[in-house]
């Protein structure tokens, strides 16, 4: 699909055809493409908890204020941000040196820069949420391009999800996304005009 058409036709879909079951290969293809999203130092702070089992979807629905779309969608995804993504600094430095992005003797400096940047706990969290959110938007656009519908969600209890699905402490639930074959087409809500949301140079 033409990219502008993907953007124009994407909707947050709340009703799904429960008879359509996406394959693992389809879901993983969407994730693979979404993982091309940008991230600082290519640390790729995202991780995806994909729930397709019917009993597990019911459990996840309870953690999401009992919203029906969680269990009705083919898959419900908890998009997680990795608070400790900076610990992959060594891998990043090695690849960058191999690709001549940095000189071989610059690896230590790169690693130190990454660790120094992520010393602050708030920065770790901000970057985890930011990276996960970038990947989440890419996931939704990719799904639309492949003929599937999505709905981003913030209506859930992150600590309940953490407990029920044994999510390690390094991950923070950023948002949820329902994924499947949509059963509705909603008229798009109005959008603010460019002149309302743009300021040039300075306020």
């Amino acid at each position: 699909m033409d990219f502008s058409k993907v953007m124009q036709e994407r909707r947050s879909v709340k009703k799904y055809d429960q008879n359509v079951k996406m394959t693992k290969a389809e879901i993983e293809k969407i994730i693979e493409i979404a993982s091309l999203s940008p991230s600082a130092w290519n640390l790729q702070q995202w991780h995806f908890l994909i729930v397709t089992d019917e009993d597990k979807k019911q459990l996840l629905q309870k953690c999401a204020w009992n919203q029906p779309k969680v269990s009705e969608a083919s898959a419900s995804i908890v998009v997680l941000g990795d608070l400790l993504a900076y610990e992959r600094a060594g891998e990043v430095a090695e690849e960058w040196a191999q690709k001549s992005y940095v000189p071989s003797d610059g690896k230590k400096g790169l690693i130190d820069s990454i660790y120094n940047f992520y010393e602050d706990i708030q920065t770790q969290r901000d970057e985890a949420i930011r990276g996960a959110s970038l990947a989440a938007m890419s996931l939704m656009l990719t799904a639309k391009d492949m003929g599937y519908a999505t709905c981003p969600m913030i209506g859930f209890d992150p600590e309940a999800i953490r407990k029920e699905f044994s999510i390690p402490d390094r991950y923070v639930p950023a948002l949820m996304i329902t994924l499947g074959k949509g059963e509705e087409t909603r008229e798009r809500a109005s959008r603010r005009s460019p002149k309302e949301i743009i300021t040039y140079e300075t306020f």
Side-chain angles (χ1 to χ4, degrees), residues 59-67 70 77-80 125 129 151-162 167 172-177:
L59 180 60
L60 184 59
Q61 181 176 327
K62 291 180 181 179
C63 298
W65 307 343
N66 284 313
Q67 296 180 71
V70 175
I77 302 171
V78 183
V79 185
L80 305 167
R125 182 177 176 82
I129 298 294
C151 184
M153 299 174 55
I154 59 171
F156 60 89
D157 182 339
E159 290 311 311
I161 289 178
R162 182 183 298 283
I167 296 173
V172 54
L175 70 156
M176 284 175 53
I177 298 175

Side-chain angles (χ1 to χ4, degrees), residues 12-76:
S12 293
V13 174
K14 303 180 187 302
K15 294 186 181 297
Y16 295 87
D17 185 343
Q18 298 181 63
N19 294 316
V20 175
K21 304 298 182 184
M22 295 178 65
T23 66
K24 185 177 180 180
E26 287 176 309
I27 295 171
E28 291 186 357
K29 182 63 177 178
I30 290 172
I31 298 296
E32 180 183 9
I33 296 173
S35 294
L36 297 174
S37 301
S39 61
W41 286 290
N42 197 35
L43 291 173
Q44 303 171 54
Q45 298 94 344
W46 43 78
H47 195 92
F48 304 91
L49 171 62
I50 299 173
V51 182
T52 57
D53 176 81
E54 295 303 323
D55 289 337
K56 291 289 177 57
K57 283 196 292 183
Q58 290 290 337
L59 180 60
L60 184 59
Q61 181 176 327
K62 291 180 181 179
C63 298
W65 307 343
N66 284 313
Q67 296 180 71
K69 60 180 175 286
V70 175
S71 60
E72 293 172 355
S74 186
S76 283

Side-chain angles (χ1 to χ4, degrees), residues 106-171:
K107 290 191 291 185
K108 183 180 183 304
L110 176 60
I111 293 170
D112 289 345
S113 294
I114 293 173
Y115 269 82
N116 289 338
F117 183 80
Y118 287 98
E119 277 184 341
D120 181 66
I121 293 176
Q122 187 62 50
T123 298
Q124 293 173 19
R125 182 177 176 82
D126 289 348
E127 278 292 282
I129 298 294
R130 189 165 17 245
S133 298
L134 284 167
M137 189 71 250
S138 296
L139 187 160
M140 290 185 284
L141 293 175
T142 301
K144 179 61 181 176
D145 187 53
M146 291 177 59
Y148 290 104
T150 58
C151 184
M153 299 174 55
I154 59 171
F156 60 89
D157 182 339
E159 290 311 311
I161 289 178
R162 182 183 298 283
K163 178 182 177 181
E164 296 293 351
F165 292 86
S166 303
I167 296 173
D169 289 342
R170 72 179 294 157
Y171 297 118

